[in-house]
Amino acid sequence: MTLKQLEAFYWAATCASFAVAAERLHLSVSSLSKRIAELEETLGQLLFDRSGHKAVLTDAGQRLLPQARELLAAADQIRASMTETPSLRGRCRFGVGELTALTWLPRLIGVVRAAYPDLVLEPYVDIGQVLEQRVADGELDFAVIAGRSSRPGIASTPIGEAAFAWAAAPSVLDGATAMSPELLARLPLVTLPAGAGTTRIIDDSLAGRGGAGERLCCNNWGAIAGLLIEGTGVGLLPRHWARALEAEGSLRVLRCDPEPAALPYSFQCRRDDVRPLVAELRAAVGAAVDFSAPCRLP
């Protein structure tokens, strides 16, 4: 029995598929399967039932899983204790929302590449619900997501927050300077899809204001800003974007009492992933995060 065999078994058991586990370990699926087969031969028991469409753990596999987790964690601790300065290499797949991608992601990648030139970074941009599922399935090493995860298997570390403001084109406001039920009744609400973190802010901000009428959903921040500039409706934008567009006359920031709450963001990873890679990238994210960083707007 070897650590590599246990590692292959553990990630195959906890990832969405053998293919995902193989990618995580930088192996071919056949090499991953071979290591698991060797482990099964050593133990004299089948660890996966392969008779169905998807391999599932047998009773023996279920019993081995927590023991494999403990052994792999102990091995990682030993490696970390024997290395003064972690040298990260290989590939790191991680997820971010579009706001992160448009603001501080380039800074993060630049800092990490300078510190770990042998580490290949592969960012994936999507809404929070999708990113969280991909972290849980083992497809991503970590993700930066609005809010905290409710999944027991995912750890959430707060890293920062983003501030927002209501805005619309002056041409459609008819002199209005504040959010009101009347404004919401006659102008469409331009928003990100329901799975985005700003949905909760919008719902909380509109509570007690009679709700909103038509909602126009778009999954791109730049497109939302462009729609607002064209007078399509009223919407929530990152505060520093809204102020910059107001300064050039494209939009007007609307007063709102209370102001929209800031949206907290967290670094999310699987609790069973104790690799130095995750700890180092968590620290790098914490140092790089800045949702008020300049970005390119329409």
Side-chain angles (χ1 to χ4, degrees):
M1 182 190 309
T2 68
L3 281 175
K4 288 186 176 181
Q5 292 169 352
L6 286 171
E7 187 178 51
F9 160 74
Y10 180 78
W11 290 110
T14 60
C15 287
S17 66
F18 274 33
V20 171
E23 286 187 5
R24 190 180 190 98
L25 296 174
H26 313 300
L27 297 172
S28 66
V29 175
S30 60
S31 296
L32 180 87
S33 298
K34 181 180 179 182
R35 290 184 183 181
I36 295 172
E38 291 170 348
L39 179 60
E40 290 176 323
E41 183 177 355
T42 298
L43 297 175
Q45 298 187 68
L46 289 177
L47 301 173
F48 289 94
D49 179 355
R50 300 170 176 82
S51 61
H53 176 69
K54 180 181 178 181
V56 296
L57 286 174
T58 62
D59 289 343
Q62 293 282 4
R63 294 196 303 273
L64 178 61
L65 188 60
Q67 299 176 72
R69 180 188 299 116
E70 292 177 3
L71 285 170
L72 293 173
D76 281 331
Q77 290 175 357
I78 291 173
R79 294 190 192 100
S81 69
M82 299 300 292
T83 304
E84 293 184 4
T85 304
S87 178
L88 305 183
R89 60 185 66 250
R91 182 171 53 181
C92 175
R93 293 179 170 177
F94 65 99
V96 297
E98 190 190 7
L99 183 56
T100 296
L102 291 173
T103 51
W104 54 273
L105 176 62
R107 177 186 176 190
L108 171 67
I109 291 178
V111 169
V112 174
R113 282 172 57 86
Y116 307 108
D118 295 327
L119 182 65
V120 178
L121 298 176
E122 296 183 2
Y124 176 83
V125 182
D126 213 319
I127 61 175
Q129 287 181 341
V130 174
L131 297 178
E132 185 176 357
Q133 184 62 55
R134 295 195 69 177
V135 170
D137 288 344
E139 297 177 17
L140 297 175
D141 294 305
F142 69 88
V144 176
I145 303 176
R148 299 180 64 86
S149 175
S150 60
R151 298 170 185 251
I154 293 183
S156 301
T157 304
I159 58 162
E161 60 183 28
F164 296 86
W166 290 104
S171 60
V172 300
L173 290 174
D174 292 337
T177 59
M179 284 292 292
S180 66
E182 293 76 21
L183 195 63
L184 292 169
R186 67 180 181 84
L187 292 178
L189 183 59
V190 184
T191 75
L192 288 172
T198 50
T199 302
R200 184 175 66 254
I201 293 180
I202 290 174
D203 292 339
D204 290 346
S205 183
L206 297 182
R209 297 175 183 269
E214 178 186 358
R215 288 203 183 198
L216 196 164
C217 293
C218 179
N219 67 347
N220 179 274
W221 272 118
I224 287 176
L227 289 168
L228 294 177
I229 290 171
E230 289 301 315
T232 304
V234 61
L236 204 64
L237 282 180
R239 184 181 295 166
H240 66 295
W241 297 9
R243 294 295 184 190
L245 290 169
E246 182 179 51
E248 67 180 38
S250 300
L251 290 177
R252 178 176 296 161
V253 174
L254 298 167
R255 291 182 291 104
C256 186
D257 186 18
E259 293 292 331
L263 184 62
Y265 280 77
S266 64
F267 179 101
Q268 297 189 14
C269 62
R270 284 175 38 158
R271 292 188 185 278
D272 59 359
D273 196 345
V274 295
R275 294 173 297 163
L277 167 73
V278 176
E280 291 298 312
L281 268 294
R282 184 190 294 115
V285 165
V289 62
D290 179 10
F291 288 103
S292 64
C295 66
R296 189 173 300 173
L297 290 172

